[in-house]
Amino acid sequence: MSDNKNKSKNDEQALIDGRRRFLGKSALIGLATAGVSMGMAGCKEKEGAAKPAAGATGVAAASGQEIAPGQLDTYYSFTSSGHGGEMRVVGLPSGRTLKRIPIFNTDCMVGWGITNESRAIIGTKPDGTLKYTVGDTHHVHGSYKNGTYDSRWLFVNDKINSRLARVRMDTMECDKITQLPNVMGFHGMFPDKCDPVDASINYTTRVFCGGEFHMPLPNDGRDLDDPSKWGVLFSCVDAATMELKWQCRIDGNCDLVATTYDGKYAASNQYNTENAADLNGMMAAERDACVFFDIARIEALVKAGKFTTIGASKVPVVDGRKAANPDPKTSITCYVPVAKNPHGVNASPDGKYFVCSGKLSPTCTVIDLSLIPKWFNGELKDPRDTVVAEPEVGLGPLHTAFDGRGNAYTSLFLDSQCVKWNVEAAIAQFKGDKKAQVILAKIDVHYQPGHNYSSMGETKECDGKYLNSGNKFSKDRFLPVGPLHPETEQLLDISGDQPRLVADHTAYSEPHDGIIVRRDVVKTRQIYNLEDFPNAVTADNAGIERKGNVVHVRLMSQAPAYSLPVIKLKKGDLVTFTLTNHDKVEDLTHGFAIPTYNINFIVNPQETKSVTFKADHAGAFWIYCTHFCHALHLEMRSRLLIEG
Ligand code: CUA
Ligand code: CA
């Protein structure tokens, strides 16, 4: 019996290994020759995949990370959602979804995109409709103090419409959105960790944003047939005001972004140093680059008025192209050659290195950050001299995370693996030490990992407990739900020598990046402050105010009733409802829905929200509470009577 079991297990493993090999090789050949995309390679693997995935996965996941009633997860994970447009909050190690924070999307439960307050944050057109209703969030990062999270803000990008959003950590709601002018494909983003000049500012004051796509500058119809004139800007946003501080024009493009712990430099990987407008052109060069920005020098130029502006934008634009920066001693940029078409650039938690993951090269490039100022001071001949290691890690390296013990963990998209390697050993090997043991472990993940991120891994408090592997294809692992399969997130315990799979869960398409934050770092509030809302409704101002056909209905909610049982309007009225929830108990949230008027939102305890609309059809409409609040929740309703 045990022989049979072993046999079938071996068969299963052979099948999996076979698929893995097929995927890795064919995809790489495709990439190298005809430019077949990695996404297509991922789909091909589906053929012949009938059996469930590796037995080890199921066993480990089942053995588990159950968080029983009375227990809480030890970490928060804040993740992007890709083209879903929102941010998600997940508890780890359980993998439970705790909250979905609408940002660039609309959400009829919360009322995001429906209430006046959320519409003002998202932005509206002159006719009052939302400027955009779609988004594409890729990267979530927190604000810093002393090199670790300070529980103020989370930032997230929107690649489609080049917007940066800020989320308050205390309410876990979006409070600001800024659109970057003259940027298309805003992909990489990272907050700074302290000021480049003033050491007393040891917290985040800037957010750096990379533009990925070349575009006409300005994009007003000019240069459509001449992409050689198109350009890319790297942007700096003030973290407190969320206004643009400056932009820097570069050669090539920006992919992911990283910042140094000393605040002096931001950097972005570039896969299109060729400035090409087609796929083959973007893969032409043997090496691409990681471009470093000297923040203090850029801001000195801006202060001195040495900038231009583009089109209608008033944002100062400095020139970081090579031709404008011939002398390292005055240069604002340094282009470090790295392996072909790199993807992720990640800062080691000791503050010493940036690791660029190769994508089209099976290597990671390690840049020694202590050598960057040496280049900017004219002490190094070649930017490439800042590279201190380039270990071969496997096929399709995309992103690298760290454990705080000197080890790096790189996701291998084509190999469907996470590889653990030692940074100092890689440096020794690069110097010629043939005995250096660089690769320490490889563990299968299922399948095609993109981002990986470790617990507190982007901070000086990196604790080396968990690593999350965000996998782009689940293939045969779950019950089928039609042509589109769920993605998977797999949690590895990285505290020992060998990474160990401890939990995994499905993820709705499609999360990209995230951070894992110790739960004690996150300080949330229990209820809102009535005083924080200038339009709060109290017993003093509650009621109906009419000026001609402009009507303001001020309502209060307290379980299980709204303050007005009957509200009379006339067809054609422009009406604003303002609702303050006077309940003071945590989680005692009420809803506010008006049938046939497309209105539905919630108000949390002590919160105020409003909505404005035209009463364009007559009738009787029950305003009702949509959020379960009380034994008499169903009875919580008011009559809205609109005369014809
Ligand atoms: Cu109020 Cu349900
Ligand atoms: Ca390239």
Side-chain angles (χ1 to χ4, degrees), residues 271-274 282-285 288 341:
Y271 64 75
N272 188 14
T273 51
E274 299 90 343
M282 293 179 208
M283 297 194 299
D288 283 289
N341 287 46

Side-chain angles (χ1 to χ4, degrees), residues 368-380:
D368 184 335
L369 298 174
S370 71
L371 299 174
I372 296 296
K374 288 201 162 73
W375 184 85
F376 276 109
N377 290 338
E379 296 165 40
L380 290 181

Side-chain angles (χ1 to χ4, degrees), residues 16-27:
I16 290 154
D17 290 349
R19 272 185 287 149
R20 196 180 297 287
R21 270 200 301 278
F22 167 75
L23 181 77
K25 287 203 179 116
S26 64

Side-chain angles (χ1 to χ4, degrees), residues 480-503:
V481 287
L484 174 69
H485 294 219
E487 266 56 84
T488 71
E489 302 283 339
Q490 290 186 308
L491 193 70
L492 308 181
D493 181 336
I494 55 167
S495 59
D497 286 342
Q498 292 292 314
R500 200 168 53 89
L501 183 65
V502 290

Side-chain angles (χ1 to χ4, degrees), residues 453-491:
Y453 40 95
S454 57
S455 45
M456 299 298 284
E458 292 184 352
T459 76
K460 294 216 154 174
E461 295 186 313
C462 177
D463 61 17
K465 175 68 182 151
Y466 291 119
L467 178 124
N468 187 90
S469 180
N471 307 316
K472 297 297 187 191
F473 294 89
S474 63
K475 313 209 181 269
D476 50 3
R477 300 191 59 239
F478 306 116
L479 288 173
V481 287
L484 174 69
H485 294 219
E487 266 56 84
T488 71
E489 302 283 339
Q490 290 186 308
L491 193 70

Side-chain angles (χ1 to χ4, degrees), residues 46 241 258 288 336 356-357 432-433 591 637:
K46 187 74 190 78
T241 65
D288 283 289
V336 178
C356 304
S357 304
D433 180 354
R637 41 196 170 114

